[in-house]
Amino acid sequence: MDKREVALARVLLVDDDTAFLEATADLLGLLGHSVQTAASVAEAREKLAKGHFDRVFLDLMLPDGSGFHLLDHVDTERTRVTIITGHPAVKAQVMNLYGLNVNYLIKPLSLDQLQPLFEPAAAEADDDTALHFGELIGETPVMRDLYDIIERVAGTGANVMLLGESGVGKEMVARAIHNASGRSGPFLATNCGAFSSELIGSELFGHEKGAFTGALARRSGLFEEASGGTLFLDEITEMPLGLQTNLLRVLETRTVTPVGSTTAIAVDARVISATNRSEEELVEHRCMREDLYYRLAVFPLQVPALRERTDDIPLLVRWFLRGLNRENGTHFSVNDADLARLADYDWPGNVRELRHIVHRACIMTKTDAGELRFPERFGSPFSRSKQPEAAPTLVGRTIEDVERQLILETLSLYDNNKTRAAEVLGVSVKTLYNRLGAYEADNERSN
Amino acid sequence: MRDRIDRLVHDARGPLNTIVVNAELAQLLQRSGGNPERLQKALAAIVNESQRCNRILQDFRDELQRETPP
């Protein structure tokens, strides 16, 4: 494969055995993947903070710590992690702690073991599942509209701001736009909320040696590294307002000045940003400069929530399940009744929550079972806490009835403290006692 | 003894791992007419790691012999 073509997968190899590291990097490179290496926890952490990887191969015994320490820095929902170990007992530990997104291989590795791990990264569609722009699944009208918009905006080079709830797949849409754009440079993603306000400037714009304590060498920022490609700024509203001024200048001048430098460097990165907030919330919470908004949102694009496209749920479930079956050697399927139940749920966590549910079902279902077992109820603690208590209806009830309920529930809330309840209700304690006496008399008459 | 054997297996897998990967790499390079210097480097790594593996096994045997009365 011509290595100048877009690589199949972005891979990070972490192992302190340099002979193994070099050979494996060359081997995967010959197969067309883009490979970076790290020989320590510190080096790997730095590379993980700087860019996204589709797959990480991770040795556990590293000179400055355990590979497990790195797993906390990896979004295992988006990055597949394979632990390479010489110790089979690791398997149970890995499964218990990290579920099915982290698998393991026992040394010695062979090409036959490595190659199947990349099949999802080759973006091959399975059977009847089309993978639009190499990233997106869905055939509902809202998704087809989205694909049309992506095709139109991709080639223009315009900065795009993606709006949508958490878990709808904004980064995947950003990648889709990049893939459709034909831009030759890389796609780099970063979360503006992941860095401290002191470090984010250096991450985005780079720094000169000695610019601050710990700046031991000159370092390129993400804008330089994404030049010719696409830079995805997730959670853009988490960027400190002070830094937004610097970002605005970069977008206006198309140059960056690294921290500690006086020389501007020309950059040519297309910026796609994303936020969970609505446009109204952007204004209300004043978390973004208005002038920056206009530069970033040359084309604002709403990514639909999963509840707007429930007909895509079967496609998504089958896609997730195929990947999980392939990785773990299982053969689970899902029945139509469960698909109908899944389509009925509201999905406040969107596609991410759906994947989580499928993933958990795979863990909870016995390996030799044919069909996945889903829980009786769907919903995460976060989704349940957002659901408001059903307000009791007042229409059709007498005033006495509503008053009685209000008094009794207020007493219950304050542990039958009549003084406190009377204060909250705005009546005297004597009035409260009179009401309670009347209710007791009513109860006795009824009995 | 079981722990020591487990450790031996774990330690031996390191060089074996490097041997296998370099062998696969050498095959790919040879088939694709790749960089001959890189091919030589892969073959040299196989030789070195085979010797390292042999040392690990030898050390284990020596350790057992020291502990076992003649």
Side-chain angles (χ1 to χ4, degrees):
Chain A
M1 179 176 181
D2 185 348
K3 285 170 75 170
R4 288 167 297 173
E5 293 173 11
V6 173
L8 288 175
R10 292 145 294 210
V11 179
L12 176 65
L13 289 173
V14 186
D15 198 306
D16 61 336
D17 185 333
T18 49
F20 166 72
L21 207 60
E22 276 182 36
T24 311
D26 286 350
L27 187 65
L28 293 176
L30 281 175
L31 296 176
H33 302 295
S34 166
V35 185
Q36 291 190 47
T37 60
S40 66
V41 171
E43 198 182 342
R45 201 177 280 152
E46 196 182 312
K47 299 214 170 168
L48 286 166
K50 230 174 160 180
H52 169 75
F53 295 94
D54 299 302
R55 187 165 285 275
V56 173
F57 288 92
L58 180 57
D59 185 23
L60 290 182
M61 304 289 290
L62 296 166
D64 56 344
S66 165
F68 279 127
H69 295 148
L70 278 173
L71 288 178
D72 295 331
H73 296 268
V74 177
D75 180 354
T76 55
E77 291 289 322
R78 294 187 297 132
T79 301
R80 302 277 191 231
V81 177
T82 299
I83 292 185
I84 307 167
T85 176
H87 216 304
V90 163
K91 174 184 179 182
Q93 195 174 0
V94 165
M95 289 283 285
N96 288 341
L97 287 174
Y98 298 101
L100 295 175
N101 263 354
V102 177
N103 63 354
Y104 76 103
L105 291 175
I106 303 279
K107 295 177 182 179
L109 305 187
S110 67
L111 203 52
D112 286 346
Q113 288 176 292
L114 288 173
Q115 275 184 313
L117 298 177
F118 292 96
E119 280 167 16
E124 286 178 24
D126 267 10
D127 299 325
D128 54 353
T129 310
L131 203 60
H132 298 271
F133 309 105
E135 296 289 337
L136 302 174
I137 292 173
E139 303 300 333
T140 48
V142 288
M143 289 303 287
R144 292 214 165 271
D145 288 345
L146 180 65
Y147 303 149
D148 282 340
I149 294 171
I150 288 172
E151 273 185 23
R152 282 188 217 185
V153 78
T156 65
N159 292 335
V160 177
M161 179 178 281
L162 301 174
L163 302 158
E165 295 175 10
S166 178
V168 294
K170 293 187 286 295
E171 181 167 341
M172 300 187 82
V173 172
R175 286 181 191 279
I177 294 172
H178 172 74
N179 292 344
S181 71
R183 291 176 71 85
S184 58
F187 175 90
L188 296 182
T190 193
N191 187 313
C192 297
F195 298 101
S196 66
S197 53
E198 291 80 23
L199 285 179
I200 191 169
S202 165
E203 288 298 316
L204 292 178
F205 312 128
H207 63 246
E208 293 296 321
K209 179 180 173 183
F212 49 83
T213 305
L216 301 177
R218 203 243 176 232
R219 181 178 163 179
S220 304
L222 289 171
F223 268 97
E224 277 182 85
E225 296 194 346
S227 211
T230 304
L231 178 59
F232 176 58
L233 300 176
D234 199 2
E235 295 198 38
I236 187 67
T237 52
E238 301 308 308
M239 183 180 288
L241 282 172
L243 204 68
Q244 291 185 19
T245 313
N246 297 12
L247 177 59
L248 177 63
R249 184 160 174 76
V250 171
L251 296 174
E252 286 174 339
T253 63
R254 303 184 77 77
T255 61
V256 292
T257 305
V259 177
S261 170
T262 53
T263 307
I265 302 167
V267 290
D268 174 35
R270 189 237 198 105
V271 177
I272 300 177
S273 56
T275 177
N276 294 341
R277 301 180 195 252
S278 65
E279 287 178 303
E280 292 76 18
E281 284 169 335
L282 289 181
V283 173
E284 187 183 324
H285 296 149
R286 297 186 185 180
C287 45
M288 176 174 280
R289 290 176 60 110
E290 185 178 350
D291 44 7
L292 179 63
Y293 170 81
Y294 288 121
R295 282 284 176 182
L296 287 174
V298 175
F299 198 97
L301 176 53
Q302 186 76 33
V303 181
L306 185 56
R307 72 186 73 85
E308 296 176 59
R309 57 179 187 115
T310 52
D311 285 350
D312 286 330
I313 287 175
L315 287 179
L316 288 163
V317 169
R318 291 194 175 108
W319 177 261
F320 295 144
L321 196 51
R322 268 195 285 271
L324 291 165
N325 279 339
R326 189 163 36 218
E327 284 226 5
N328 301 288
T330 49
H331 303 280
F332 294 131
S333 62
V334 58
N335 64 42
D336 289 344
D338 280 328
L339 284 175
R341 279 206 302 134
L342 290 167
D344 260 348
Y345 177 55
D346 201 42
W347 301 108
N350 294 289
V351 179
R352 183 184 294 132
E353 188 182 2
L354 174 63
R355 191 178 194 290
H356 171 80
I357 292 282
V358 173
H359 188 167
R360 278 188 66 184
C362 285
I363 295 172
M364 297 306 293
T365 307
K366 284 187 186 169
T367 313
D368 57 357
E371 288 180 345
L372 274 189
R373 280 191 56 202
F374 286 94
E376 293 290 323
R377 282 177 64 202
F378 300 126
S380 69
F382 299 97
S383 61
R384 285 194 281 277
S385 73
K386 283 179 196 162
Q387 288 162 15
E389 294 289 332
T393 182
L394 300 175
V395 176
R397 298 167 66 190
T398 64
I399 289 175
E400 288 78 15
D401 200 22
V402 172
E403 182 190 81
R404 180 178 178 141
Q405 181 177 345
L406 177 62
I407 287 172
L408 293 177
E409 286 187 4
T410 304
L411 270 171
S412 173
L413 181 65
Y414 292 101
D415 294 325
N416 219 35
N417 182 325
K418 294 179 180 61
T419 306
R420 184 76 182 106
E423 188 184 324
V424 169
L425 289 164
V427 299
S428 67
V429 176
K430 184 179 175 190
T431 301
L432 181 60
Y433 270 107
N434 286 344
R435 291 288 193 281
L436 292 173
Y439 300 152
E440 202 173 323
D442 284 344
N443 287 343
E444 283 173 7
R445 276 195 292 278
S446 309
N447 291 339
Chain B
M1 176 54 79
R2 174 66 190 267
D3 287 345
R4 290 165 79 176
I5 292 173
D6 283 348
R7 197 179 69 224
L8 171 66
V9 168
H10 174 271
D11 290 348
R13 279 186 165 142
L16 283 174
N17 196 37
T18 307
I19 289 166
V20 170
V21 171
N22 275 285
E24 304 258 27
L25 177 62
Q27 282 182 319
L28 269 181
L29 286 168
Q30 197 273 329
R31 256 187 255 133
S32 62
N35 186 334
E37 280 181 20
R38 188 61 187 92
L39 176 59
Q40 284 304 314
K41 190 175 174 187
L43 295 172
I46 290 169
V47 171
N48 290 339
E49 292 298 299
S50 302
Q51 290 167 348
R52 183 162 79 101
C53 193
N54 187 46
R55 279 195 299 275
I56 291 170
L57 294 171
Q58 187 67 39
D59 287 348
F60 182 77
R61 195 178 80 161
D62 290 347
E63 199 179 306
L64 283 182
Q65 279 182 338
R66 278 193 296 273
E67 292 169 9
T68 310

